[in-house]
Amino acid sequence: MSLSIRNQIPGTAVSVTPGEVMATVKVRLDGGQEITAAVTREAVEELGIFVGSSVRALFKSTEVSLATGPVEGLSIRNQLPGTVTDVSTGGAMAGVKVSVDGGELTAVITKDAVTELGLTSGSSVVALIKSTEISLATS
Amino acid sequence: MSLSIRNQIPGTAVSVTPGEVMATVKVRLDGGQEITAAVTREAVEELGIFVGSSVRALFKSTEVSLATGPVEGLSIRNQLPGTVTDVSTGGAMAGVKVSVDGGELTAVITKDAVTELGLTSGSSVVALIKSTEISLATS
Amino acid sequence: MSLSIRNQIPGTAVSVTPGEVMATVKVRLDGGQEITAAVTREAVEELGIFVGSSVRALFKSTEVSLATGPVEGLSIRNQLPGTVTDVSTGGAMAGVKVSVDGGELTAVITKDAVTELGLTSGSSVVALIKSTEISLATS
């Protein structure tokens, strides 16, 4: 089985906070960063995700935003610093590859954003992913 | 009202689970599949969605991921098997039409993903949609 | 048709940039702000969206992030300044109402983010929405 989801990062669940409907799961990535995923509580129960579970954090490239530096005072829980390794531009959108500790990400952002931020290979960026955009896979 | 949202699939609410902020609504699609939508509790109350309500499940094409087969151990609640009917490729992204029981979906994924998964007309795929990406409409 | 999508803001299309697969549409909101929506080119054509078209920008509350001030050097095109009018907290998530010029938004973010950012009624915030998360409706 192959998945179109470009971003699949391995890690370990370090906390699980269930609400009535949703649950937040903190995951320590193998690269050392910590991220938060907000998934349904049902999914956490069915997958049997506990503290210590090995999981992969999955998120579509269209869900990744890029900043030119760390952002404070932001609700987005997940900020992964990295370096741009490639930019491919279409008519409206652009795909940006970002090397981060422990792996490589793909972000799809508008062509306008690439221009305004001046992104090219070698640019330092921070990849931002809202926790509601992160899915989890086991095994 | 016309909507840019490409994917609008009719069905019937079969369960409603309210939390403090969010609610999950399970919908049996007219094609027979069951999906879960995570929307605000406020929306469920204002729209008056109950078990038995006729609803449409709406999700943007950029929110649809594709897999080449069923995926186990995944937090993504919604997996609709189907067959690729068309692939159109741009500079960064690709649009993929997928015929599923009861309708047709559009997925927008990266051009890279189309290449890696070898997707062409006739490919068997499973469309994946995170429950937080599904909106509901009542008529 | 009633929609579960909490955020529906009226405006006028001021530019349309089609790519092969996606198109970006800039919309001047009635409150004066300008936002960008990235939707499929097919949707733009089918809905007949041109410069001057009246549209509504739609986005799910789970797609809205909040910052405590304007953020520079960020790929997220859409930043709407406003004031928090209400916070409701669940077990994992929180719903935050934000009054902006020309309307009111709902953001669903993690409970942790509300705590860290110290959000309460009266807090100044900037609502951030990625352009791929914005849909368009014509009446």
Side-chain angles (χ1 to χ4, degrees), chain B residues 65-112:
Chain B
S65 302
L66 296 175
T68 53
V71 188
E72 296 194 0
L74 184 64
S75 68
I76 299 178
R77 298 291 82 191
N78 304 308
Q79 304 200 12
L80 304 177
T83 305
V84 173
T85 58
D86 188 63
V87 178
S88 63
T89 306
M93 305 303 286
V96 181
K97 303 278 187 193
V98 178
S99 166
V100 299
D101 279 352
E104 189 182 62
L105 303 181
T106 303
V108 171
I109 62 178
T110 57
K111 194 176 63 168
D112 284 357

Side-chain angles (χ1 to χ4, degrees), chain C residues 40-86:
Chain C
T40 58
R41 192 181 70 167
E42 183 184 77
V44 168
E45 289 167 357
E46 279 188 24
L47 271 63
I49 296 175
F50 301 102
V51 172
S53 296
S54 289
V55 295
R56 271 177 304 143
L58 273 55
F59 43 97
K60 283 197 73 162
S61 52
T62 44
E63 305 298 352
V64 181
S65 301
L66 296 175
T68 53
V71 185
E72 298 194 358
L74 181 66
S75 68
I76 299 178
R77 300 291 80 193
N78 303 308
Q79 304 201 12
L80 304 178
T83 304
V84 173
T85 57
D86 189 62

Side-chain angles (χ1 to χ4, degrees), chain A residues 1-6 21-22 38 40 42 46 58 60-63 97 108 132-138, chain B residues 17 19 24 26 62-68 71 73 75-77 93 108 110 112 116 128 130-133:
Chain A
M1 189 271 312
S2 297
L3 268 182
S4 68
I5 300 176
R6 296 294 84 189
V21 171
M22 300 294 287
T40 57
E42 183 182 76
E46 279 188 24
L58 274 54
K60 283 199 72 164
S61 52
T62 45
E63 305 298 354
K97 303 272 188 197
V108 170
T132 46
E133 306 300 349
I134 298 188
S135 301
L136 296 174
T138 55
Chain B
T17 306
T24 45
K26 296 204 178 180
T62 44
E63 305 299 352
V64 181
S65 302
L66 296 175
T68 53
V71 188
S75 68
I76 299 178
R77 298 291 82 191
M93 305 303 286
V108 171
T110 57
D112 284 357
E116 271 190 39
L128 307 171
K130 201 172 188 295
S131 56
T132 47
E133 303 300 349

Side-chain angles (χ1 to χ4, degrees), chain A residues 17-20 22-24 26 36 38 61-69 71-77 91-93 108-113 116-117 128 130-133, chain C residues 17-20 22-24 26 36 38 61-69 71-77 91-93 108-113 116-117 128 130-133:
Chain A
T17 306
E20 289 294 317
M22 300 294 287
T24 48
K26 295 201 180 178
T36 302
S61 52
T62 45
E63 305 298 354
V64 181
S65 302
L66 297 175
T68 53
V71 185
E72 298 195 358
L74 183 65
S75 68
I76 299 178
R77 298 293 81 194
M93 305 303 286
V108 170
I109 62 178
T110 58
K111 193 176 66 169
D112 284 357
E116 271 190 39
L117 272 59
L128 306 170
K130 201 172 188 296
S131 57
T132 46
E133 306 300 349
Chain C
T17 305
E20 290 295 317
M22 299 293 285
T24 47
K26 295 200 179 179
T36 300
S61 52
T62 44
E63 305 298 352
V64 181
S65 301
L66 296 175
T68 53
V71 185
E72 298 194 358
L74 181 66
S75 68
I76 299 178
R77 300 291 80 193
M93 306 303 286
V108 170
I109 61 179
T110 57
K111 193 176 65 168
D112 284 356
E116 272 190 37
L117 272 60
L128 306 171
K130 203 171 186 298
S131 57
T132 46
E133 303 300 347

